[in-house]
Amino acid sequence: MNKNMKKSLFPYVFLFIFIVVCLFLVNGNGIKVNEITYDEFIKNMNNNEIKELTITPKTRSNLYYVEGKLKDYKENEKFTLYLPQSDEFISKIVTGESDYGFSIDVKQDPESSSWLLIVVNVLPYVILIGGTIWLFTRQLGGNNKSMDFGRSRAKLMEEGTKTTFKDVAGLTEEKEEVQELIDFLKNPKKFQSMGARIPKGVLLVGPPGTGKTLLARAVAGEAKVPFYYISGSDFVELFVGIGASRVRDMFKQAKMNAPCLIFIDEIDAVGRQRGTGLGGGHDEREQTLNQLLTEMDGFGANEGIIIIAATNRPDVLDPALLRPGRFDRQVTVALPDKNAREEILKVHAKNKILDKSITLEYLAKRTPGFSGADLENLLNEAALLAVRRNKKAISMAEIDEATDRVLMGPAKVTKKYTDKEKKLVAYHEAGHAVLGLKLDGANDVQKITIIPRGHAGGYTMMTPKEESFNYTKNQLLESISGLLAGRVAEEVVFNEISTGAHDDFKKATKIARSMVTEYGMSDLGPMMLEEPSENTFLGRDYTKNRNISDTVAHEIDEEMRKIINERYEITKNILIENRNLLDLIANTLLEEETITKEQIDYLVEHGHLPKEEENEDTDTNNKTKKDTK
C-alpha cells in the first residue's frame, strides 16, 4: 500500500475508531442496565434490597433520573428509571428527610449551569461549521490555491539554480547568441553607458527535445538571477480576463525582483495569431496576448527584466509579438550535428557503464536526426536492457536494440510469419539495401531486420551518407529510388506486390511534390507553385485563394507522376542487374533475421558472413527475443 493510499484511508479509520469509542461510552463501558418500573422500585425499597442510589434532577422535564444497584447485582450491573419530582416519596430521599440505610448520592442538575448549557447546545454546531470551513479551505488550498484566480502561476527558481552552460552540450552558436544577455544581467551599466538597448525578449525556436528550456535555465544560472518559469497554457483559464490578470501579476513580481529572467515555455499556446479559425477569435486567449504585448511595451529597455520564450511552431505566432521591441531576437535551436551529438552523448554517458568497444563518436555518426532528448532516451533504454540481461556493461547489442525501440518500438517476436510472407519481407528490405549500396545519393543502410516492429513488418535503418543542409536534384531523385526499391524488389522477384510499401510511397511522393512545387526541379520551371502548409488554422486555409489554375494543378500531377515512374523504372533496372546481390542479402536475412552495416559490408565483399560473427549475432538475436517477451 503506497503512502497516498494510506493518507486517504486515515480519516475513515479515525472516524471508525471514534464511532466505536462513542458507542462504548454510550453503552456505559460494558455495564448491564436494567430498566425497572415505579412499582418494582418501591417494592425493592420496602424489602431493603437497594444497595446504593444516585439521583440526578432534570429541571427542564421536572423528573429525577435514578440509578442504583440491588444487593444481588453483579459489579457491572445497575438499574435505572425516571421519577417525577412531585413524588413525595422520592423528594424526602433527595432532601434527606428519610433514611433507608443505603448510600444516596444526589448530583447537581447539569442543565442548571449556563456554561454547560452553552457547551452542550452550541459547541456541536461550532465544531460542525468550523470543520466544514476547514475542509473547504483545505481542498482549495490543495488545488494550487484556486481561489487566487488572478495570481501569476509563474514558478520562481532562485539564484541557487545549478544549471550552467557546462550542463548544455552542443548549442555553441546558440550560447554565443544569449551570452550578451548574461553580461547585461550581471553588469547593466556597461550597456547603458554605450546607449545600447538589450533585447527585451528572445524567442527560442526549434524542434521538441533540442534543449530550449535547458538553455534558458542555463542563462539564469550563469547570470545568477531569479528565474521565473511558466507555460503558455498556465495563463489561459475558463473565465475571460483571468489570463490578463495573471500577466499583470507576473510582471509586477518580476519588477520587484529585477534583474531577473522570465521564461515562457510553449508560448504558442497563448501567442497564436488573433482572429483565426472558423469560429472566429478566442476572447480569453486574445485578451491574455493583448496584455502580454502591452506589458512588454510597458517596461523600459534597461529595467533588468528579460523574457525568453520557446516554441516549435513560430509560424502560428502573432506578428505583433515578433516585432522589434518585444521579441527582438529569434534564436534557432536546431537538431544537433555529429559533433554536437557526441558532446550530448558525453553528458548523458557520465553515469553509464559502456563497453570498451563502444565509442561515442561512432554512436554520434549513426544517429543523425536525433535530438538531445532522443539521445538521452537511447542511452537510458540501452542501460535498462543491459540490466535486464544481467550484463556488467552496455554493449553494442543493447545500443542497437535501444535504437530500434526509440525509432520503431519494441520487437514483436511473437508475431508469426508464413514462409511466403517472411520471404516477401526479406526481399523488400533487401531491395532498399541494394539501392543504398549502388547509388551515392541514396541513404546508407545501417541495419536490416525482418522482425516486426510497430506497424512495420520489417525495418531498414537508413541514414544519409553525409549530413548537409542542401540537397541536389540528383540526390533527391536517388532518395526516391531508395524508397521505391522495396516495392520494385517484390515485383522483380515474385511478380506480385503487397501493402508493405505504403510508408515508402508517402515519403517518395512528398519529395516528388516538393521538387515540382517548391524547389523548381521540373519542366514547369523555377517557380514556387505551393507554399508548405500544415493546416495551422482551418478557417484561414479553407478560405485562402489558390495561386494556380486547374491546368497548372494538372501539370503538377503529371510532373510528379513522371518523376515517380522514371525512378521506378531506373530502380527496376538496377535490381535486375544486381539480382545476385539481392538474393544474397535476402537469403542472409531469412537465416539471421537481423544484419548490421558491418555484416552487410562483409557480405558484399566475401559473399557470406564469418562464422564467429554469425554465432555471436545468433546469440544476440535470441537474447533480444527472450528479453522482448
Side-chain angles (χ1 to χ4, degrees), residues 87-128:
D87 188 276
E88 297 182 1
F89 180 73
I90 194 67
S91 297
K92 292 181 180 180
I93 297 176
V94 173
T95 57
E97 297 180 11
S98 301
D99 185 9
Y100 290 89
F102 52 82
S103 62
I104 300 175
D105 183 15
V106 180
K107 293 184 176 181
Q108 185 181 2
D109 183 6
E111 296 180 356
S112 62
S113 173
S114 58
W115 285 106
L116 187 59
L117 185 64
I118 293 174
V119 169
V120 172
N121 292 280
V122 179
L123 186 60
Y125 297 99
V126 173
I127 295 175
L128 179 62

mmCIF file of all heavy atoms in Angstrom, residues 87-128:
data_model
loop_
_atom_site.group_PDB
_atom_site.id
_atom_site.type_symbol
_atom_site.label_atom_id
_atom_site.label_comp_id
_atom_site.label_asym_id
_atom_site.label_seq_id
_atom_site.Cartn_x
_atom_site.Cartn_y
_atom_site.Cartn_z
ATOM 1 N N ASP A 87 -43.253 13.643 43.259
ATOM 2 C CA ASP A 87 -43.463 12.466 44.107
ATOM 3 C C ASP A 87 -42.870 12.741 45.495
ATOM 4 O O ASP A 87 -41.668 13.042 45.633
ATOM 5 C CB ASP A 87 -42.798 11.248 43.463
ATOM 6 C CG ASP A 87 -43.151 9.975 44.211
ATOM 7 O OD1 ASP A 87 -42.473 9.681 45.220
ATOM 8 O OD2 ASP A 87 -44.069 9.267 43.766
ATOM 9 N N GLU A 88 -43.726 12.642 46.523
ATOM 10 C CA GLU A 88 -43.291 12.945 47.900
ATOM 11 C C GLU A 88 -42.275 11.943 48.408
ATOM 12 O O GLU A 88 -41.346 12.286 49.153
ATOM 13 C CB GLU A 88 -44.505 12.971 48.838
ATOM 14 C CG GLU A 88 -45.509 14.066 48.509
ATOM 15 C CD GLU A 88 -46.668 14.068 49.488
ATOM 16 O OE1 GLU A 88 -46.657 13.228 50.400
ATOM 17 O OE2 GLU A 88 -47.559 14.919 49.316
ATOM 18 N N PHE A 89 -42.411 10.709 47.970
ATOM 19 C CA PHE A 89 -41.536 9.655 48.457
ATOM 20 C C PHE A 89 -40.080 9.922 48.035
ATOM 21 O O PHE A 89 -39.160 9.881 48.867
ATOM 22 C CB PHE A 89 -42.025 8.304 47.907
ATOM 23 C CG PHE A 89 -41.182 7.143 48.342
ATOM 24 C CD1 PHE A 89 -41.232 6.674 49.644
ATOM 25 C CD2 PHE A 89 -40.319 6.530 47.451
ATOM 26 C CE1 PHE A 89 -40.460 5.611 50.047
ATOM 27 C CE2 PHE A 89 -39.549 5.460 47.852
ATOM 28 C CZ PHE A 89 -39.615 5.000 49.157
ATOM 29 N N ILE A 90 -39.867 10.221 46.764
ATOM 30 C CA ILE A 90 -38.508 10.457 46.274
ATOM 31 C C ILE A 90 -37.986 11.811 46.725
ATOM 32 O O ILE A 90 -36.789 11.998 46.936
ATOM 33 C CB ILE A 90 -38.459 10.318 44.751
ATOM 34 C CG1 ILE A 90 -37.006 10.208 44.273
ATOM 35 C CG2 ILE A 90 -39.118 11.505 44.058
ATOM 36 C CD1 ILE A 90 -36.330 8.941 44.697
ATOM 37 N N SER A 91 -38.917 12.804 46.947
ATOM 38 C CA SER A 91 -38.489 14.125 47.401
ATOM 39 C C SER A 91 -37.898 14.045 48.798
ATOM 40 O O SER A 91 -36.927 14.746 49.127
ATOM 41 C CB SER A 91 -39.662 15.105 47.384
ATOM 42 O OG SER A 91 -40.145 15.281 46.071
ATOM 43 N N LYS A 92 -38.484 13.176 49.661
ATOM 44 C CA LYS A 92 -37.934 13.013 51.022
ATOM 45 C C LYS A 92 -36.533 12.403 50.976
ATOM 46 O O LYS A 92 -35.672 12.739 51.789
ATOM 47 C CB LYS A 92 -38.868 12.136 51.850
ATOM 48 C CG LYS A 92 -40.205 12.789 52.165
ATOM 49 C CD LYS A 92 -41.075 11.877 52.997
ATOM 50 C CE LYS A 92 -42.422 12.533 53.327
ATOM 51 N NZ LYS A 92 -43.268 11.642 54.150
ATOM 52 N N ILE A 93 -36.330 11.509 49.996
ATOM 53 C CA ILE A 93 -34.998 10.907 49.879
ATOM 54 C C ILE A 93 -33.982 11.964 49.442
ATOM 55 O O ILE A 93 -32.864 12.034 49.966
ATOM 56 C CB ILE A 93 -35.022 9.735 48.875
ATOM 57 C CG1 ILE A 93 -35.961 8.633 49.381
ATOM 58 C CG2 ILE A 93 -33.628 9.197 48.624
ATOM 59 C CD1 ILE A 93 -36.119 7.476 48.423
ATOM 60 N N VAL A 94 -34.378 12.829 48.494
ATOM 61 C CA VAL A 94 -33.467 13.854 47.985
ATOM 62 C C VAL A 94 -33.136 14.862 49.071
ATOM 63 O O VAL A 94 -31.986 15.267 49.229
ATOM 64 C CB VAL A 94 -34.080 14.542 46.753
ATOM 65 C CG1 VAL A 94 -33.230 15.732 46.317
ATOM 66 C CG2 VAL A 94 -34.239 13.562 45.609
ATOM 67 N N THR A 95 -34.157 15.276 49.844
ATOM 68 C CA THR A 95 -33.925 16.290 50.887
ATOM 69 C C THR A 95 -33.310 15.712 52.150
ATOM 70 O O THR A 95 -32.901 16.443 53.046
ATOM 71 C CB THR A 95 -35.252 16.965 51.251
ATOM 72 O OG1 THR A 95 -36.198 15.958 51.667
ATOM 73 C CG2 THR A 95 -35.803 17.720 50.045
ATOM 74 N N GLY A 96 -33.215 14.374 52.202
ATOM 75 C CA GLY A 96 -32.613 13.742 53.372
ATOM 76 C C GLY A 96 -33.541 13.577 54.537
ATOM 77 O O GLY A 96 -33.089 13.263 55.642
ATOM 78 N N GLU A 97 -34.843 13.757 54.348
ATOM 79 C CA GLU A 97 -35.789 13.597 55.433
ATOM 80 C C GLU A 97 -35.977 12.127 55.810
ATOM 81 O O GLU A 97 -36.351 11.821 56.931
ATOM 82 C CB GLU A 97 -37.138 14.200 55.033
ATOM 83 C CG GLU A 97 -37.084 15.699 54.786
ATOM 84 C CD GLU A 97 -38.437 16.243 54.392
ATOM 85 O OE1 GLU A 97 -39.422 15.495 54.516
ATOM 86 O OE2 GLU A 97 -38.504 17.422 53.952
ATOM 87 N N SER A 98 -35.741 11.251 54.854
ATOM 88 C CA SER A 98 -35.910 9.814 55.111
ATOM 89 C C SER A 98 -34.587 9.119 54.898
ATOM 90 O O SER A 98 -33.817 9.446 53.983
ATOM 91 C CB SER A 98 -36.966 9.200 54.197
ATOM 92 O OG SER A 98 -38.211 9.846 54.378
ATOM 93 N N ASP A 99 -34.273 8.128 55.745
ATOM 94 C CA ASP A 99 -33.039 7.368 55.634
ATOM 95 C C ASP A 99 -33.397 5.884 55.589
ATOM 96 O O ASP A 99 -34.003 5.357 56.517
ATOM 97 C CB ASP A 99 -32.135 7.670 56.840
ATOM 98 C CG ASP A 99 -30.775 6.993 56.702
ATOM 99 O OD1 ASP A 99 -30.498 6.440 55.602
ATOM 100 O OD2 ASP A 99 -30.004 7.041 57.656
ATOM 101 N N TYR A 100 -32.987 5.222 54.485
ATOM 102 C CA TYR A 100 -33.338 3.813 54.293
ATOM 103 C C TYR A 100 -32.138 2.877 54.472
ATOM 104 O O TYR A 100 -32.189 1.708 54.119
ATOM 105 C CB TYR A 100 -33.951 3.610 52.906
ATOM 106 C CG TYR A 100 -35.332 4.227 52.792
ATOM 107 C CD1 TYR A 100 -35.493 5.548 52.384
ATOM 108 C CD2 TYR A 100 -36.464 3.484 53.119
ATOM 109 C CE1 TYR A 100 -36.746 6.124 52.294
ATOM 110 C CE2 TYR A 100 -37.728 4.060 53.021
ATOM 111 C CZ TYR A 100 -37.871 5.363 52.594
ATOM 112 O OH TYR A 100 -39.112 5.935 52.503
ATOM 113 N N GLY A 101 -31.032 3.389 54.953
ATOM 114 C CA GLY A 101 -29.905 2.531 55.273
ATOM 115 C C GLY A 101 -29.016 2.166 54.093
ATOM 116 O O GLY A 101 -28.308 1.161 54.162
ATOM 117 N N PHE A 102 -29.037 2.925 53.014
ATOM 118 C CA PHE A 102 -28.113 2.680 51.898
ATOM 119 C C PHE A 102 -27.562 4.035 51.440
ATOM 120 O O PHE A 102 -28.112 5.094 51.761
ATOM 121 C CB PHE A 102 -28.805 1.954 50.735
ATOM 122 C CG PHE A 102 -30.066 2.608 50.272
ATOM 123 C CD1 PHE A 102 -30.037 3.702 49.393
ATOM 124 C CD2 PHE A 102 -31.307 2.152 50.699
ATOM 125 C CE1 PHE A 102 -31.204 4.303 48.979
ATOM 126 C CE2 PHE A 102 -32.465 2.752 50.275
ATOM 127 C CZ PHE A 102 -32.428 3.825 49.407
ATOM 128 N N SER A 103 -26.462 3.992 50.704
ATOM 129 C CA SER A 103 -25.792 5.230 50.280
ATOM 130 C C SER A 103 -26.607 5.924 49.200
ATOM 131 O O SER A 103 -27.113 5.296 48.274
ATOM 132 C CB SER A 103 -24.380 4.933 49.749
ATOM 133 O OG SER A 103 -24.451 4.098 48.608
ATOM 134 N N ILE A 104 -26.765 7.255 49.362
ATOM 135 C CA ILE A 104 -27.520 8.072 48.406
ATOM 136 C C ILE A 104 -26.625 9.215 47.950
ATOM 137 O O ILE A 104 -26.042 9.929 48.768
ATOM 138 C CB ILE A 104 -28.812 8.619 49.045
ATOM 139 C CG1 ILE A 104 -29.708 7.470 49.497
ATOM 140 C CG2 ILE A 104 -29.547 9.514 48.050
ATOM 141 C CD1 ILE A 104 -30.941 7.940 50.247
ATOM 142 N N ASP A 105 -26.520 9.375 46.625
ATOM 143 C CA ASP A 105 -25.709 10.440 46.035
ATOM 144 C C ASP A 105 -26.617 11.290 45.152
ATOM 145 O O ASP A 105 -27.160 10.808 44.150
ATOM 146 C CB ASP A 105 -24.568 9.853 45.195
ATOM 147 C CG ASP A 105 -23.666 10.940 44.626
ATOM 148 O OD1 ASP A 105 -23.749 12.088 45.095
ATOM 149 O OD2 ASP A 105 -22.876 10.629 43.687
ATOM 150 N N VAL A 106 -26.822 12.544 45.558
ATOM 151 C CA VAL A 106 -27.666 13.462 44.795
ATOM 152 C C VAL A 106 -26.743 14.411 44.018
ATOM 153 O O VAL A 106 -25.978 15.175 44.621
ATOM 154 C CB VAL A 106 -28.613 14.253 45.707
ATOM 155 C CG1 VAL A 106 -29.466 15.201 44.872
ATOM 156 C CG2 VAL A 106 -29.484 13.311 46.518
ATOM 157 N N LYS A 107 -26.821 14.352 42.692
ATOM 158 C CA LYS A 107 -25.966 15.168 41.849
ATOM 159 C C LYS A 107 -26.665 16.471 41.462
ATOM 160 O O LYS A 107 -27.895 16.554 41.511
ATOM 161 C CB LYS A 107 -25.578 14.412 40.574
ATOM 162 C CG LYS A 107 -24.674 13.215 40.851
ATOM 163 C CD LYS A 107 -24.229 12.560 39.543
ATOM 164 C CE LYS A 107 -23.245 11.426 39.808
ATOM 165 N NZ LYS A 107 -22.783 10.798 38.550
ATOM 166 N N GLN A 108 -25.861 17.444 41.037
ATOM 167 C CA GLN A 108 -26.409 18.726 40.600
ATOM 168 C C GLN A 108 -26.951 18.586 39.181
ATOM 169 O O GLN A 108 -26.410 17.849 38.348
ATOM 170 C CB GLN A 108 -25.319 19.798 40.640
ATOM 171 C CG GLN A 108 -25.835 21.192 40.310
ATOM 172 C CD GLN A 108 -24.700 22.216 40.347
ATOM 173 O OE1 GLN A 108 -23.556 21.859 40.580
ATOM 174 N NE2 GLN A 108 -25.052 23.473 40.147
ATOM 175 N N ASP A 109 -28.015 19.307 38.913
ATOM 176 C CA ASP A 109 -28.607 19.287 37.578
ATOM 177 C C ASP A 109 -27.616 19.909 36.574
ATOM 178 O O ASP A 109 -27.253 21.089 36.718
ATOM 179 C CB ASP A 109 -29.916 20.082 37.599
ATOM 180 C CG ASP A 109 -30.622 20.046 36.247
ATOM 181 O OD1 ASP A 109 -30.144 19.312 35.349
ATOM 182 O OD2 ASP A 109 -31.636 20.759 36.087
ATOM 183 N N PRO A 110 -27.124 19.159 35.540
ATOM 184 C CA PRO A 110 -26.166 19.728 34.576
ATOM 185 C C PRO A 110 -26.770 20.864 33.756
ATOM 186 O O PRO A 110 -26.046 21.732 33.280
ATOM 187 C CB PRO A 110 -25.822 18.527 33.681
ATOM 188 C CG PRO A 110 -26.964 17.587 33.839
ATOM 189 C CD PRO A 110 -27.455 17.758 35.238
ATOM 190 N N GLU A 111 -28.100 20.880 33.618
ATOM 191 C CA GLU A 111 -28.729 21.921 32.814
ATOM 192 C C GLU A 111 -28.850 23.237 33.559
ATOM 193 O O GLU A 111 -29.225 24.250 32.989
ATOM 194 C CB GLU A 111 -30.112 21.462 32.357
ATOM 195 C CG GLU A 111 -30.055 20.252 31.433
ATOM 196 C CD GLU A 111 -31.446 19.814 31.006
ATOM 197 O OE1 GLU A 111 -32.416 20.409 31.499
ATOM 198 O OE2 GLU A 111 -31.547 18.888 30.200
ATOM 199 N N SER A 112 -28.541 23.211 34.867
ATOM 200 C CA SER A 112 -28.637 24.441 35.652
ATOM 201 C C SER A 112 -27.417 25.337 35.443
ATOM 202 O O SER A 112 -27.442 26.513 35.779
ATOM 203 C CB SER A 112 -28.769 24.109 37.145
ATOM 204 O OG SER A 112 -27.614 23.403 37.596
ATOM 205 N N SER A 113 -26.332 24.781 34.862
ATOM 206 C CA SER A 113 -25.119 25.563 34.610
ATOM 207 C C SER A 113 -25.226 26.210 33.235
ATOM 208 O O SER A 113 -25.401 25.523 32.217
ATOM 209 C CB SER A 113 -23.882 24.653 34.675
ATOM 210 O OG SER A 113 -22.738 25.356 34.271
ATOM 211 N N SER A 114 -25.076 27.521 33.161
ATOM 212 C CA SER A 114 -25.174 28.223 31.868
ATOM 213 C C SER A 114 -24.028 27.853 30.948
ATOM 214 O O SER A 114 -24.199 27.712 29.734
ATOM 215 C CB SER A 114 -25.191 29.740 32.111
ATOM 216 O OG SER A 114 -24.019 30.143 32.804
ATOM 217 N N TRP A 115 -22.823 27.677 31.521
ATOM 218 C CA TRP A 115 -21.673 27.294 30.689
ATOM 219 C C TRP A 115 -21.860 25.901 30.106
ATOM 220 O O TRP A 115 -21.578 25.663 28.936
ATOM 221 C CB TRP A 115 -20.384 27.344 31.518
ATOM 222 C CG TRP A 115 -19.912 28.737 31.778
ATOM 223 C CD1 TRP A 115 -19.980 29.431 32.948
ATOM 224 C CD2 TRP A 115 -19.317 29.623 30.820
ATOM 225 N NE1 TRP A 115 -19.471 30.701 32.812
ATOM 226 C CE2 TRP A 115 -19.033 30.845 31.496
ATOM 227 C CE3 TRP A 115 -18.996 29.515 29.477
ATOM 228 C CZ2 TRP A 115 -18.448 31.921 30.873
ATOM 229 C CZ3 TRP A 115 -18.402 30.595 28.840
ATOM 230 C CH2 TRP A 115 -18.140 31.786 29.536
ATOM 231 N N LEU A 116 -22.300 25.010 30.926
ATOM 232 C CA LEU A 116 -22.524 23.655 30.439
ATOM 233 C C LEU A 116 -23.634 23.636 29.391
ATOM 234 O O LEU A 116 -23.569 22.893 28.414
ATOM 235 C CB LEU A 116 -22.889 22.735 31.612
ATOM 236 C CG LEU A 116 -23.001 21.243 31.290
ATOM 237 C CD1 LEU A 116 -21.694 20.718 30.736
ATOM 238 C CD2 LEU A 116 -23.422 20.456 32.526
ATOM 239 N N LEU A 117 -24.640 24.481 29.604
ATOM 240 C CA LEU A 117 -25.722 24.570 28.633
ATOM 241 C C LEU A 117 -25.211 25.065 27.277
ATOM 242 O O LEU A 117 -25.587 24.554 26.217
ATOM 243 C CB LEU A 117 -26.799 25.523 29.169
ATOM 244 C CG LEU A 117 -28.082 25.635 28.324
ATOM 245 C CD1 LEU A 117 -28.809 24.307 28.289
ATOM 246 C CD2 LEU A 117 -28.986 26.726 28.895
ATOM 247 N N ILE A 118 -24.326 26.041 27.333
ATOM 248 C CA ILE A 118 -23.740 26.558 26.084
ATOM 249 C C ILE A 118 -22.902 25.491 25.399
ATOM 250 O O ILE A 118 -22.970 25.300 24.175
ATOM 251 C CB ILE A 118 -22.893 27.817 26.384
ATOM 252 C CG1 ILE A 118 -23.803 28.959 26.843
ATOM 253 C CG2 ILE A 118 -22.087 28.233 25.145
ATOM 254 C CD1 ILE A 118 -23.047 30.189 27.298
ATOM 255 N N VAL A 119 -22.106 24.772 26.197
ATOM 256 C CA VAL A 119 -21.238 23.729 25.621
ATOM 257 C C VAL A 119 -22.073 22.651 24.958
ATOM 258 O O VAL A 119 -21.788 22.211 23.835
ATOM 259 C CB VAL A 119 -20.331 23.139 26.726
ATOM 260 C CG1 VAL A 119 -19.631 21.891 26.196
ATOM 261 C CG2 VAL A 119 -19.309 24.159 27.171
ATOM 262 N N VAL A 120 -23.132 22.225 25.647
ATOM 263 C CA VAL A 120 -23.945 21.127 25.127
ATOM 264 C C VAL A 120 -24.724 21.543 23.887
ATOM 265 O O VAL A 120 -24.848 20.773 22.924
ATOM 266 C CB VAL A 120 -24.898 20.612 26.236
ATOM 267 C CG1 VAL A 120 -25.874 19.612 25.654
ATOM 268 C CG2 VAL A 120 -24.087 19.976 27.358
ATOM 269 N N ASN A 121 -25.223 22.765 23.840
ATOM 270 C CA ASN A 121 -26.106 23.176 22.751
ATOM 271 C C ASN A 121 -25.405 23.909 21.611
ATOM 272 O O ASN A 121 -25.865 23.848 20.465
ATOM 273 C CB ASN A 121 -27.220 24.082 23.314
ATOM 274 C CG ASN A 121 -28.163 23.322 24.221
ATOM 275 O OD1 ASN A 121 -29.058 22.631 23.763
ATOM 276 N ND2 ASN A 121 -27.955 23.448 25.531
ATOM 277 N N VAL A 122 -24.315 24.614 21.898
ATOM 278 C CA VAL A 122 -23.669 25.438 20.879
ATOM 279 C C VAL A 122 -22.417 24.779 20.304
ATOM 280 O O VAL A 122 -22.145 24.870 19.109
ATOM 281 C CB VAL A 122 -23.311 26.829 21.467
ATOM 282 C CG1 VAL A 122 -22.605 27.692 20.416
ATOM 283 C CG2 VAL A 122 -24.567 27.523 21.966
ATOM 284 N N LEU A 123 -21.657 24.093 21.164
ATOM 285 C CA LEU A 123 -20.375 23.531 20.725
ATOM 286 C C LEU A 123 -20.502 22.588 19.523
ATOM 287 O O LEU A 123 -19.680 22.650 18.606
ATOM 288 C CB LEU A 123 -19.693 22.831 21.905
ATOM 289 C CG LEU A 123 -18.279 22.329 21.620
ATOM 290 C CD1 LEU A 123 -17.359 23.491 21.240
ATOM 291 C CD2 LEU A 123 -17.708 21.594 22.840
ATOM 292 N N PRO A 124 -21.487 21.681 19.458
ATOM 293 C CA PRO A 124 -21.581 20.800 18.272
ATOM 294 C C PRO A 124 -21.726 21.568 16.954
ATOM 295 O O PRO A 124 -21.135 21.192 15.948
ATOM 296 C CB PRO A 124 -22.834 19.969 18.569
ATOM 297 C CG PRO A 124 -22.950 19.957 20.045
ATOM 298 C CD PRO A 124 -22.484 21.304 20.483
ATOM 299 N N TYR A 125 -22.508 22.674 16.997
ATOM 300 C CA TYR A 125 -22.653 23.470 15.777
ATOM 301 C C TYR A 125 -21.356 24.186 15.417
ATOM 302 O O TYR A 125 -21.000 24.316 14.237
ATOM 303 C CB TYR A 125 -23.779 24.487 15.950
ATOM 304 C CG TYR A 125 -25.133 23.854 16.152
ATOM 305 C CD1 TYR A 125 -25.679 23.723 17.421
ATOM 306 C CD2 TYR A 125 -25.859 23.371 15.053
ATOM 307 C CE1 TYR A 125 -26.923 23.131 17.611
ATOM 308 C CE2 TYR A 125 -27.097 22.783 15.236
ATOM 309 C CZ TYR A 125 -27.627 22.658 16.513
ATOM 310 O OH TYR A 125 -28.851 22.065 16.684
ATOM 311 N N VAL A 126 -20.639 24.666 16.427
ATOM 312 C CA VAL A 126 -19.353 25.320 16.168
ATOM 313 C C VAL A 126 -18.372 24.343 15.528
ATOM 314 O O VAL A 126 -17.662 24.668 14.564
ATOM 315 C CB VAL A 126 -18.775 25.898 17.474
ATOM 316 C CG1 VAL A 126 -17.356 26.433 17.238
ATOM 317 C CG2 VAL A 126 -19.678 26.994 18.006
ATOM 318 N N ILE A 127 -18.342 23.123 16.079
ATOM 319 C CA ILE A 127 -17.435 22.105 15.527
ATOM 320 C C ILE A 127 -17.828 21.755 14.098
ATOM 321 O O ILE A 127 -16.974 21.626 13.207
ATOM 322 C CB ILE A 127 -17.441 20.851 16.422
ATOM 323 C CG1 ILE A 127 -16.849 21.185 17.797
ATOM 324 C CG2 ILE A 127 -16.673 19.714 15.760
ATOM 325 C CD1 ILE A 127 -16.929 20.036 18.786
ATOM 326 N N LEU A 128 -19.144 21.610 13.850
ATOM 327 C CA LEU A 128 -19.620 21.241 12.525
ATOM 328 C C LEU A 128 -19.288 22.332 11.498
ATOM 329 O O LEU A 128 -18.748 22.057 10.421
ATOM 330 C CB LEU A 128 -21.126 21.000 12.559
ATOM 331 C CG LEU A 128 -21.781 20.618 11.225
ATOM 332 C CD1 LEU A 128 -21.212 19.319 10.704
ATOM 333 C CD2 LEU A 128 -23.291 20.518 11.392
#
